[in-house]
Amino acid sequence: MRKNCYIYEIEYTYKNGYRNAHKILSKIDDPDKIKNIIKTQLEKSNKARFRVVLGDENKLRITSGWLLRMDLRSYTLKSLGIF
């Protein structure tokens, strides 16, 4: 049986002012837990890794995404529902 994956949108701003957003997948249903995981990863290894959903509803692709602490100014996370 497959466990549900939850989809979130992470919006981030780099130190040079560039802004971007991606949809990410997680098996965790609590956005605060995911924020803590990302924060811990950034503090321990200066990078955070997650699964990114690319494409539209007709053609989806899941790949690895990274945030690097040295480039990152801020980020926010919001829940979009179940994938």
Side-chain angles (χ1 to χ4, degrees):
M1 188 169 124
R2 188 178 91 123
K3 186 174 180 178
N4 287 335
C5 285
Y6 299 89
I7 190 162
Y8 297 91
E9 184 173 67
I10 186 167
E11 296 177 353
Y12 49 90
T13 304
Y14 289 114
K15 290 181 180 175
N16 65 4
Y18 179 74
R19 300 176 67 118
N20 204 354
H22 282 96
K23 293 180 176 100
I24 64 172
L25 291 178
S26 177
K27 293 181 181 177
I28 300 170
D29 63 345
D30 184 9
D32 291 331
K33 284 184 182 179
I34 295 179
K35 286 179 188 176
N36 287 336
I37 290 169
I38 291 173
K39 179 181 174 187
T40 302
Q41 287 181 349
L42 287 172
E43 288 173 353
K44 285 185 177 181
S45 64
N46 291 327
K47 59 188 172 192
R49 180 176 180 252
F50 40 81
R51 292 180 294 167
V52 178
V53 179
L54 299 174
D56 58 13
E57 296 173 1
N58 298 327
K59 188 175 181 183
L60 291 177
R61 191 175 76 179
I62 299 173
T63 187
S64 294
W66 296 87
L67 282 180
L68 301 177
R69 183 176 172 188
M70 65 182 182
D71 296 333
L72 190 64
R73 180 186 300 157
S74 64
Y75 67 93
T76 59
L77 191 70
K78 70 178 179 181
S79 178
L80 298 178
I82 296 176
F83 182 69

